[in-house]
Structure formats: C-alpha cells, structure tokens
Amino acid sequence: MDINQYLEIFIEESKEHLQSMNSSLLYLENHPEDTNTLNEIFRVAHTLKGMSATMGFNNIAHLTHEMENVLDYIRRGNMKVNTEITDLLFECFDRLEGYINNVEANSEEGNDSALELIDKLQISKLADINANGKDQDEKKINPNTNKTIKSAIEFNEYLSNVVSTAIKDGLNVNLIKITLDSNCMLKSARAYIIISTLEKFSDIVQSNPSIEEIEDEKFDLSFELVLITKHNEEFIRKELSSISEVESIEISPMLSESIDISPKNDVVNNTDKIQVVEENKQQENEEAKNKKSKTSKTVRVDIDRLDNLMNLVSELIIIKTRLEDAGDERGRQNTSEAIEYLERITTNLHDAVMKVRMVPIERVFNRFPRMVRDLSKDLGKDITLILSGEETEVDRTVIDEIGDPLIHLIRNSIDHGIEEIDKRLELGKQRTGTVKLSAYPDGNSVVIEVEDDGSGINIEKVKNKAIERGIITTQDTQLMDNKELIQLLFSPGFSTADKISDISGRGVGLDVVKTKIESLGGIVEADTTLGKGTKFIIRLPLTLAIIQALLVVVGSEKYAIPLNSIKEITTIEKSSIRRVQKNEVVLYRDSTLPILRLSELLNVPNTNNDIDIDSNSDNFDEDVIVVIVKKGDKDAGLIVDKLIGQQEIVIKSLGKYLSTIRSIAGATILGNGSVALIVDTNSFF
C-alpha cells in the first residue's frame, strides 16, 4: 500500500487541525474553565494522533498521545489549567507544527522524538496525579503482560532452527497477538502500520494468517506474529502503543523448549514467500523514503462552486454545437445570438473560476493572535488584537504572499507603536494597547488595515532622520506634505528607532512590505496622528490572473491600463496645460493635476500629442485625451492618443529577463493575436 498518495491530504488536514488547536489554546488561556474549548483541543490532538499513526509518523503520534493524557486528566477535574500548562501545550503545538513542516518539505517528520516535552507532560501529569489515577488508555493497552498466548502458528523444523539460533545469539523471540478494535474500518491498513512499525526494529519470521492474507484483509480482528529483535517487551509495547484502533496487544516471550515442531514439509516455500514479501516491503520503504514530496498548492472548494463551474462548461458545449450548425445563410442570425450568449457565459465562467481561487483571508489572520500573545509577553506589554473581516476572500496567490508583510506591520505596531504600560498610564491611556487587523472588499480591490492606538509617528523625527541619512535635502522638505514624509519610512534601510531590538529597528521591515505589496500589484500607505496611533492601509487587487483593463493607443502601439487604477477619463485643451518647475500640470476640478505623457514615459515615437506647450502650433487649441489614474489619494493624468475600450484581459508574465522593466506589469494577448503591454501606473507616482 503506497501511503505517500495520501501525504498531501494529510498535510493539508493537519495544518487545519493545528490552526484550530492554536485558536483554541489562545482562547483557553483566557478562559481556563471553558470545558468545550478543552474538549476541542482534546479532539484535535486525538485526530492528529490517529492521522499520524496511520501515516507512520510515530513522533507526532507519541507527542499527541501524551497531550491527550494531560488533557484528559484536566477534563476529569484532576488538574486545573494554569499558565504553566498552557505554555507547555503551546510548546507542544510548536513542535507539532515543526513536524508537519518537515513532512511537507521532506516527506519525513524528522528524528526529533520530543522526549523532553513528553517528559514534561508526564511530570505535569504526575505532579497532581492521585494514587488511583491510572490512565485509562494505558490500562487498555497494557493487559496482562505475562500471559501465555495460545497460538495457532505452526512451527516447522526450519522455523524452529531460526528461532533457536536467535535465542542462542542472545536475541529476543516474541510471539505477538494483535487484536484490532471492532469498529476499525480499514483493518488491512491498520495491520500494515503495525507490521511496518515492527519491521523497523525487528524481523518478522512467521505470521498467522500469512502476510499476503493480512494485506488482503483476509482475517477477522486478530493476527499473530513471531518476531526476532534485540529489544525487550517493554520497548515493543511502547512502539505499538501509539497506533490507534488497537483493542489489545499480547506479547509472550518464546523459549527453545516451548517450540512444538509440526511435521510439515513446505518450510522452504513458506520461508521463501516471507522473505520475498519482506524484501519487497524493504524496497517499497526505501522508495518511499527516497521519494521527495512535491506537494502542490491546493484550494478546498465548495461543491456548489464546482457545480456552477460544471454547468457553465456544459453551456459552452451547447453554444459550440449551435455555432457548428450555423454555417448556412439561415444560420447567421443564430450565429449572432450564439456569440452574444457565449459572451455572457464566458463572463460568468470567469466569475466562477475566480471564486474557486478565492480563499478567506482568515487563513492568514489566524496566525497572528499567537504572535501578538508571544510578543506581548516578550516586551512586557498588555496588547489586545482585534480581528475583523476574516471572511473576506482574496486570490490564493495573495494569501500565500501577504503573510510576511502583515507580520512586519504588526511587529512594528507592537514594538514601536504601542507604549510601555507605565507610559500609557502616564498619558491617560488604557493600560491595554490595541492592535486592529481588518479586511474588507472595496470594488475590484481588497483593503487590509493594521491600526494601533500607540504613540503615532513623529513626522519631525522622520524628516530629520531622512535629512541626516541624505535621502532628502532641507529644501525638499519644504515642498513635501506629511503624507509624502511618512512615505520615507518605506525607503530601504530607513528607521527612526533609537535602538535595534530582536523584533525591529533595522529599517528593513517597511521596505520589504512595500516591495512585496507592489509585486502583488497593490499599494501600501500610512496614516498617523501623533500620540493617538498609526494605521497602515494595504490595497490589493482581487485577483492576479484576469483583470478588467482599458485598452488605449499610443503611437502605433496598444497598451492596457488596469481598470482598478483608473479614476476617470476626460479631455482637456492642450492650451490649458502649464509648466511648473519643469513638470506639466493642469487645473482640473479646482485642484492641480500632474500631467504625464505616456508616449514619453514608454519612449514611444510619432504620437499625436508630441507638442511643445510653450510654442503656438496649429493644433495648440485641440483637446487631448487624459486618463486620470490614482494611487491612494494621489492622482495623475496620462495623455494617450486614442481609447479602444474596456476589455477583460489575461495577465501574462514577461519572463525573468523583462520582469524588471519599470512601468510595465506584464503583457496580454488580444483577440487578433497581437500583444499589448500592461501599464504599471503605480510606478508613475
């Protein structure tokens, strides 16, 4: 049986269970008397134990088994949840997370047996254990160790010699009878786990029924094994104890004189069969070990969404048939109707596919309560994290990438933003600081905000640091407003921290945040009030694969401008454009609008708008088409030659050689097969 085929499912489900355990532990820490949460953690530990034992990951199974013991002991009212217990459970959680990460990377859980943690769990349990408080599971799994098993295994002369030689060589020969739980659904799979576990430290020389029959599930609930090993009975029992759905394990040591030789002649054949099976198994184990996991990224999809997708594809097939039948004169009307219908279906299909890729941002948010808890303890601050909008859905690609930027922002808020407790009390603030993490959809974008009620950003300090580091000059500061000064925080290596801590202060965090967000096609801004707090606002596109865009013509080329960055389209007279400090501007809606010529930015020759506004040419009074684009609260007008219209485009990468070209975010293929470059308007600000 190839268990590796279930590896991806195991990893995915384990991560979900760990996330649930993390949330429950955080809740339990603040609500130690809540029995339902305790039961939930127990349930997760039990499920993880069963899953990992089935997959043969014994370290995970051992650790979760010990966690189960402690949790069960608490459930029975023998011990109360306190800080030490929750810290220990969090330690176990971290170790389990490490195991799963190892499995994901290498298909192995690693050699860390977590003995010190298991020891701590036993100590914590024993510290309060009552004299009669024996664990029920141990009772169940440790029946009468000296019981002599009445075996159905027949010993022939060859097997008898093998056993006798092993005993003479000082090895232990044990007859083991395994009885599975009556509710066990996959008996052969469970037996396979047991045999695989035993084969790691022993040689199985005989079985009843045969190994092939056990694999084919041709047995009731029990099977017997004769194994030779250097380990003792206690070790064998410990190795088997973590395997779930086992009703009982009976182990009986064998002596030479107790072996009754049966007169059968098929010794060599049977032994050969066993050896062949063992060799095959060893080969399978080696192959499984050498096989590196290539776990793909998966998205769990609601069945209704897939049904909708299937219906839309069925509609497409119907339309295809209609188009095929519409070849004659009479069919022209049908063709026109079919094309219109096709357009509606493809639009719906796009929406459906996009929804399939969408994942709740809760998957990212859920990791932060634990991080805030740990940082609060490390820094000696009281901080509450408030989450909202966890159900907001974003593209799976965004989910994978947005975690690190948010970690940087939250760490900054906690380290630099939220004041020490004494300072907060002195300022008349609440003792407990607050960090709010929220998400909400806004048109074709998703907005994520990280807000704290800390000290805010000292803009004067930012200005002085920027001058000191030579990023700007004193003259520059006179032309910059507060928002522009705050944007300096996102410069590489910029930091206002007076000291460097383990958490932040090196000035690499916000630079990384900006780079990552912009690589996702988004923007990040900061809004701050000194003494009251800071809010970082991230705006991301809903999807990175298919977008709505405005197609424009500049010179002889077609370009696509993402619709979510366009504020409006207008015309202005060329004569109204003025030059201020070498930059072109126009007064539009009572405010100054910077004017950028797309032909100059993209170095496109022979456009209709290559005019000098300082000269009086013949077409000076003509209008030009301006596409007003936005980045946050900033606007700019792009002069283009011609508008083609709105179109749904599929974004294609330019490849690694052209990926660094400024102003171009990618390319798309148009209906006539030509290529249009996608303009990155954020790079113009």
Side-chain angles (χ1 to χ4, degrees):
M1 185 184 296
D2 181 14
I3 288 202
N4 282 301
Q5 62 184 307
Y6 306 112
L7 201 58
E8 288 180 18
I9 299 172
F10 169 78
I11 293 167
E12 192 72 18
E13 291 190 356
S14 296
K15 284 185 173 180
E16 286 180 9
H17 287 303
L18 282 177
Q19 186 55 57
S20 171
M21 181 185 281
N22 185 34
S23 304
S24 298
L25 282 172
L26 286 165
Y27 189 82
L28 185 70
E29 186 174 37
N30 297 319
H31 306 83
E33 303 296 334
D34 191 291
T35 314
N36 290 335
T37 307
L38 193 65
N39 287 335
E40 174 63 17
I41 299 169
F42 181 89
R43 187 190 64 76
V44 172
H46 182 74
T47 307
L48 279 173
K49 176 179 137 183
M51 288 167 54
S52 53
T54 304
M55 295 295 293
F57 298 128
N58 290 332
N59 289 335
I60 301 175
H62 285 163
L63 185 55
T64 45
H65 177 72
E66 295 301 333
M67 288 176 73
E68 260 189 328
N69 289 342
V70 173
L71 291 165
D72 189 47
Y73 199 65
I74 297 170
R75 283 200 314 182
R76 291 164 192 253
N78 296 321
M79 190 163 57
K80 289 192 174 179
V81 175
N82 54 32
T83 307
E84 288 73 24
I85 293 290
T86 50
D87 284 347
L88 183 56
L89 291 174
F90 271 122
E91 215 174 324
C92 294
F93 167 82
D94 290 340
R95 195 66 61 92
L96 290 173
E97 197 173 43
Y99 284 138
I100 300 301
N101 289 338
N102 274 343
V103 171
E104 188 175 25
N106 309 311
S107 304
E108 294 176 348
E109 60 180 344
N111 298 322
D112 179 10
S113 54
L115 287 177
E116 84 288 358
L117 263 182
I118 290 172
D119 188 49
K120 280 185 190 177
L121 288 166
Q122 289 172 340
I123 288 170
S124 66
K125 176 183 169 185
L126 291 173
D128 291 278
I129 202 164
N130 293 325
N132 298 324
K134 294 288 183 187
D135 183 82
Q136 293 301 315
D137 285 346
E138 287 186 7
K139 277 185 181 178
K140 182 179 173 184
I141 211 78
N142 289 324
N144 195 3
T145 55
N146 295 321
K147 182 179 175 182
T148 301
I149 302 170
K150 188 177 180 180
S151 173
I153 290 182
E154 295 178 346
F155 281 78
N156 52 40
E157 187 175 352
Y158 176 81
L159 185 58
S160 173
N161 286 336
V162 170
V163 170
S164 299
T165 305
I167 292 171
K168 283 179 186 172
D169 291 344
L171 297 171
N172 298 316
V173 181
N174 290 288
L175 175 63
I176 300 182
K177 184 176 182 180
I178 308 284
T179 305
L180 300 180
D181 191 286
S182 57
N183 295 321
C184 179
M185 298 293 290
L186 297 169
K187 291 190 295 182
S188 62
R190 195 62 57 193
Y192 174 80
I193 298 296
I194 292 168
I195 292 171
S196 298
T197 303
L198 291 171
E199 283 178 337
K200 289 177 183 174
F201 58 86
S202 66
D203 293 322
I204 299 173
V205 295
Q206 185 61 297
S207 67
N208 180 45
S210 67
I211 296 292
E212 293 93 327
E213 288 173 325
I214 292 174
E215 285 186 336
D216 293 339
E217 209 168 292
K218 293 178 180 175
F219 67 101
D220 188 14
L221 287 173
S222 303
F223 57 93
E224 296 172 356
L225 304 166
V226 176
L227 58 93
I228 298 173
T229 176
K230 63 181 180 181
H231 297 284
N232 58 21
E233 180 186 337
E234 186 183 355
F235 179 86
I236 300 169
R237 197 175 292 282
K238 186 180 176 185
E239 289 295 311
L240 295 178
S241 63
S242 61
I243 300 173
S244 57
E245 295 186 305
V246 174
E247 178 67 30
S248 66
I249 302 167
E250 298 175 57
I251 302 177
S252 175
M254 297 186 70
L255 303 173
S256 296
E257 54 270 23
S258 65
I259 300 170
D260 181 21
I261 300 174
S262 63
K264 289 207 173 182
N265 297 324
D266 56 347
V267 176
V268 177
N269 290 339
N270 281 341
T271 309
D272 283 349
K273 282 182 183 176
I274 290 172
Q275 284 178 340
V276 169
V277 171
E278 287 179 349
E279 283 173 5
N280 288 340
K281 283 191 171 301
Q282 283 176 357
Q283 192 176 348
E284 285 174 12
N285 287 338
E286 300 240 339
E287 285 174 1
K289 194 174 179 182
N290 293 331
K291 186 180 175 184
K292 290 282 181 187
S293 72
K294 289 285 182 186
T295 52
S296 59
K297 293 176 180 176
T298 58
V299 179
R300 293 199 166 197
V301 181
D302 192 307
I303 192 71
D304 290 340
R305 291 185 178 182
L306 284 179
D307 286 345
N308 184 32
L309 206 55
M310 181 62 77
N311 288 336
L312 289 170
V313 172
S314 304
E315 295 288 336
L316 274 180
I317 293 169
I318 294 169
I319 296 168
K320 174 175 160 271
T321 310
R322 284 182 65 183
L323 286 171
E324 285 172 351
D325 294 341
D328 56 7
E329 290 290 329
R330 200 178 57 180
R332 286 182 183 171
Q333 179 64 28
N334 285 341
T335 306
S336 176
E337 288 174 3
I339 289 173
E340 285 179 16
Y341 189 34
L342 181 65
E343 189 175 345
R344 285 205 301 274
I345 294 297
T346 48
T347 302
N348 290 338
L349 191 59
H350 169 218
D351 290 343
V353 172
M354 203 171 82
K355 282 180 182 171
V356 170
R357 287 182 57 88
M358 302 297 265
V359 180
I361 204 165
E362 180 184 21
R363 291 180 63 163
V364 179
F365 279 16
N366 280 342
R367 73 171 76 165
F368 298 124
R370 170 72 191 282
M371 188 185 88
V372 172
R373 168 197 180 269
D374 291 347
L375 284 176
S376 303
K377 282 195 165 189
D378 291 345
L379 297 171
K381 297 179 179 178
D382 276 354
I383 298 171
T384 300
L385 176 67
I386 299 174
L387 300 177
S388 64
E390 302 100 307
E391 70 285 353
T392 306
E393 292 187 328
V394 294
D395 192 280
R396 169 62 201 255
T397 312
V398 173
I399 287 284
D400 291 339
E401 301 291 336
I402 195 66
D404 287 345
L406 289 179
I407 288 174
H408 280 301
L409 292 179
I410 293 173
R411 287 166 75 96
N412 260 312
S413 290
I414 293 174
D415 196 22
H416 297 314
I418 304 290
E419 307 92 338
E420 305 284 344
I421 295 174
D422 294 344
K423 182 81 178 291
R424 288 183 69 86
L425 294 174
E426 191 181 315
L427 292 169
K429 290 186 173 181
Q430 294 286 332
R431 174 190 174 89
T432 303
T434 303
V435 175
K436 292 180 184 173
L437 180 59
S438 57
Y440 56 89
D442 182 19
N444 284 328
S445 303
V446 171
V447 179
I448 304 171
E449 294 179 351
V450 179
E451 183 178 8
D452 67 68
D453 66 345
S455 55
I457 298 170
N458 188 333
I459 294 175
E460 280 301 312
K461 196 172 178 179
V462 173
K463 190 194 298 181
N464 294 333
K465 277 276 182 183
I467 295 171
E468 181 186 317
R469 293 177 63 87
I471 297 173
I472 55 172
T473 63
T474 309
Q475 289 74 22
D476 292 334
T477 61
Q478 294 170 358
L479 301 172
M480 296 172 76
D481 59 21
N482 286 348
K483 283 190 175 295
E484 289 171 324
L485 287 168
I486 290 173
Q487 285 297 313
L488 293 172
L489 289 170
F490 296 98
S491 305
F494 189 91
S495 174
T496 57
D498 296 323
K499 60 180 181 181
I500 296 171
S501 69
D502 293 337
I503 298 167
S504 59
R506 295 185 185 275
V508 293
L510 292 181
D511 174 31
V512 171
V513 169
K514 186 184 179 193
T515 306
K516 177 61 78 178
I517 298 298
E518 289 187 347
S519 74
L520 293 171
I523 57 170
V524 56
E525 297 174 307
D527 187 13
T528 186
T529 304
L530 190 61
K532 292 189 176 177
T534 304
K535 183 197 287 186
F536 287 95
I537 305 154
I538 295 171
R539 191 175 290 273
L540 291 164
L542 264 182
T543 178
L544 304 178
I546 304 173
I547 61 168
Q548 292 285 340
L550 175 70
L551 289 180
V552 300
V553 176
V554 179
S556 59
E557 302 289 337
K558 291 175 183 171
Y559 293 91
I561 302 175
L563 218 57
N564 63 353
S565 63
I566 296 176
K567 187 175 180 182
E568 62 177 293
I569 301 167
T570 187
T571 56
I572 58 171
E573 288 183 5
K574 290 179 183 176
S575 57
S576 64
I577 300 175
R578 296 285 181 268
R579 196 181 295 281
V580 177
Q581 293 184 345
K582 298 181 181 177
N583 296 315
E584 291 181 333
V585 297
V586 67
L587 190 63
Y588 184 73
R589 296 190 195 280
D590 297 328
S591 62
T592 304
L593 179 71
I595 294 295
L596 304 170
R597 295 174 187 273
L598 207 52
S599 56
E600 291 179 5
L601 294 169
L602 303 176
N603 198 22
V604 181
N606 303 321
T607 66
N608 298 331
N609 299 298
D610 289 338
I611 59 158
D612 183 357
I613 60 170
D614 298 325
S615 68
N616 290 319
S617 59
D618 293 339
N619 60 356
F620 192 62
D621 292 331
E622 290 180 1
D623 289 344
V624 289
I625 302 169
V626 176
V627 179
I628 300 177
V629 294
K630 61 183 179 181
K631 181 183 178 184
D633 57 356
K634 293 181 182 175
D635 297 335
L638 299 178
I639 294 181
V640 300
D641 289 350
K642 186 179 172 186
L643 300 175
I644 296 177
Q646 179 180 333
Q647 190 169 316
E648 200 170 59
I649 61 169
V650 179
I651 301 175
K652 299 287 184 185
S653 167
L654 288 173
K656 60 181 179 181
Y657 295 111
L658 302 177
S659 60
T660 55
I661 295 179
R662 192 172 178 270
S663 309
I664 300 297
T668 188
I669 299 170
L670 302 177
N672 61 2
S674 62
V675 174
L677 296 175
I678 301 167
V679 180
D680 177 16
T681 57
N682 285 337
S683 64
F684 300 148
F685 291 89

